[in-house]
């Protein structure tokens, strides 16, 4: 599994969707559910994202914004709207008895007059476990990607279809928003160039990509710089030099970091024994793994597991 797929495997849209909200100014939406990631696609109109640190980001038709949680934030037709009388809405999808579902809101337009209104598709994403945290560390507080008009039209049509068809509508919308999240993040990483995380830049490198895919497919193998270079089809020296230049660390340091991140997720999210986790991430025995984990994370595996629990 490639790194992005692995990191996204712990975050999903599951029953936490507001589809096709239509708002007539002045309005404000408060996002209060503490979701790790929230995605807002503007189909028509636009508004301003207001983050807790005072950041303001204008988003317009065709823009998809991904906001990193969990702090509450606002979306308003304009920044001044939060300080004057307006229609105010709150999205709190993860609370008990939450109304955030396709069945509840998919066919309902917020507001009464839709002429000149702003139309949005919003998805809030749940996290299962800790695997996604490395992805969050790689993202800014808010990122915006501008989509083609055809993409927005397709998304709006698909959201409308999901709302109309009662059978499987929630599952359809959840998968639609999972797809949209992956596509938006891939586009943002591709456009970020040298600002993208090193693990993403490496996958775009024709020399490093085969070795990275091999390692992430089989992390328990006894990888060496020589065996990784063989996967890349280049000399050991060339591979080590290119890897360090592109990834910002030597090959074995990267492998250890990835193995420790995976071990961290397994310790926090599973009941596997420390010996089983050691073998899963490429260590011959629990003793060697425990020493490496403490050196890298500052805690023994058992202490870390107890703290996570």
């Amino acid at each position: 599994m490639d790194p992005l797929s692995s990191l996204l495997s712990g975050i999903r849209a599951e029953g936490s969707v507001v589809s096709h909200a239509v708002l007539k100014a002045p309005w404000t939406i408060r996002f209060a559910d503490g979701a790790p990631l929230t995605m807002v696609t503007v189909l028509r109109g636009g508004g301003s994202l207001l983050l807790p640190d005072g950041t303001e980001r204008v988003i317009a038709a065709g823009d998809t914004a991904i906001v990193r949680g969990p702090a509450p934030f606002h979306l308003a037709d304009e920044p001044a709207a939060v300080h004057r009388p307006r229609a105010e809405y709150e999205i709190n999808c993860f609370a008990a008895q939450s109304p955030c579902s396709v069945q509840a809101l998919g066919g309902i337009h917020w507001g009464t007059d839709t002429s000149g209104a702003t139309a949005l598709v919003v998805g809030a994403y749940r996290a299962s476990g800790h695997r996604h945290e490395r992805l969050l560390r790689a993202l800014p507080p808010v990122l915006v990607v501008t989509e083609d008009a055809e993409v927005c039209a397709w998304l709006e049509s698909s959201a409308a279809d999901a709302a109309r068809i009662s059978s499987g509508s929630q599952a359809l919308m959840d998968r639609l928003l999972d797809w949209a999240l992956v596509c938006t993040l891939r586009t943002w990483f591709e456009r970020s160039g040298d600002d993208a995380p090193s693990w993403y830049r490496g996958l775009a490198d024709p020399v490093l990509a085969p070795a990275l895919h091999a390692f992430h497919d089989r992390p328990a193998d006894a990888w060496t710089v020589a065996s990784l270079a063989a996967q890349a089809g280049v000399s050991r020296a060339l591979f080590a030099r290119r890897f360090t230049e592109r990834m910002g660390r030597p090959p074995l340091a990267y492998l250890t970091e990835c193995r420790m991140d995976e071990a961290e997720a397994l310790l926090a999210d599973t009941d596997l024994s420390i010996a089983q986790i050691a073998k899963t991430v490429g260590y011959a025995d629990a003793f060697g793994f425990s020493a490496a984990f403490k050196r890298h994370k500052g805690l023994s595996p058992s202490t870390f597991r107890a703290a996570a629990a």
Side-chain angles (χ1 to χ4, degrees):
M1 185 182 294
D2 66 86
L4 182 57
S5 296
S6 176
L7 297 177
L8 284 168
S9 66
I11 192 162
R12 287 285 186 272
E14 294 182 0
S16 55
V17 173
V18 178
S19 66
H20 202 193
V22 179
L23 309 160
K24 183 69 175 178
W27 52 265
T28 299
I29 304 173
R30 182 173 184 266
F31 294 83
D33 53 22
L37 289 177
T38 301
M39 187 175 69
V40 180
T41 297
V42 183
L43 304 173
R44 292 185 298 281
S48 292
L49 287 165
L50 310 173
L51 303 188
D53 64 0
T55 299
E56 297 181 7
R57 185 70 181 266
V58 175
I59 53 176
D63 287 342
T64 292
I66 295 178
V67 182
R68 192 183 68 202
F73 64 96
H74 290 82
L75 176 64
D77 63 301
E78 60 179 74
V82 298
H83 303 298
R84 68 170 190 259
R86 77 281 184 189
E88 184 170 27
Y89 309 94
E90 181 170 280
I91 294 178
N92 194 2
C93 295
F94 298 159
Q97 306 301 318
S98 168
C100 294
S101 67
V102 172
Q103 291 86 348
L105 292 177
I108 297 175
H109 288 170
W110 293 348
T112 55
D113 181 4
T114 61
S115 59
T118 290
L120 311 169
V121 170
V122 181
Y125 295 83
R126 294 179 184 269
S128 57
H130 296 74
R131 192 179 302 276
H132 70 288
E133 291 174 357
R134 188 179 178 204
L135 172 65
L136 297 186
R137 292 196 296 268
L139 300 179
V142 58
L143 63 89
V144 178
V145 171
T146 300
E147 306 284 4
D148 294 335
E150 292 81 2
V151 174
C152 290
W154 179 85
L155 181 60
E156 183 172 14
S157 174
S158 299
D161 287 343
R164 279 197 302 268
I165 304 170
S166 59
S167 178
S169 59
Q170 187 68 63
L172 178 60
M173 195 64 192
D174 287 348
R175 299 294 78 78
L176 175 66
L177 290 184
D178 285 340
W179 171 87
L181 176 66
V182 174
C183 290
T184 301
L185 287 175
R186 286 180 56 180
T187 299
W188 184 78
F189 282 135
E190 288 167 3
R191 295 176 183 175
S192 295
D194 290 341
D195 292 329
S198 60
W199 49 263
Y200 193 87
R201 297 197 307 270
L203 292 172
D205 186 288
V207 173
L208 302 185
L212 287 170
H213 280 297
F215 165 67
H216 285 286
D217 284 343
R218 306 189 307 277
D221 285 9
W223 294 106
T224 64
V225 177
S227 63
L228 289 170
Q231 292 288 330
V234 298
S235 71
R236 181 184 184 280
L238 189 155
F239 178 81
R241 182 171 64 253
R242 189 179 184 99
F243 193 102
T244 303
E245 289 172 353
R246 292 292 292 165
M247 305 288 284
R249 60 181 75 71
L252 296 185
Y254 173 82
L255 265 60
T256 299
E257 180 182 323
C258 290
R259 284 167 166 162
M260 293 301 102
D261 286 342
E262 178 66 12
E264 190 176 74
L266 293 173
L267 286 166
D269 302 335
T270 74
D271 294 326
L272 293 174
S273 70
I274 291 175
Q276 290 172 316
I277 293 173
K279 292 186 181 301
T280 299
V281 298
Y283 286 82
D285 56 68
F287 179 79
F289 163 69
S290 296
F293 189 89
K294 186 171 184 178
R295 185 167 56 249
H296 193 78
K297 297 293 185 180
L299 296 172
S300 69
S302 56
T303 302
F304 175 85
R305 171 170 271 174

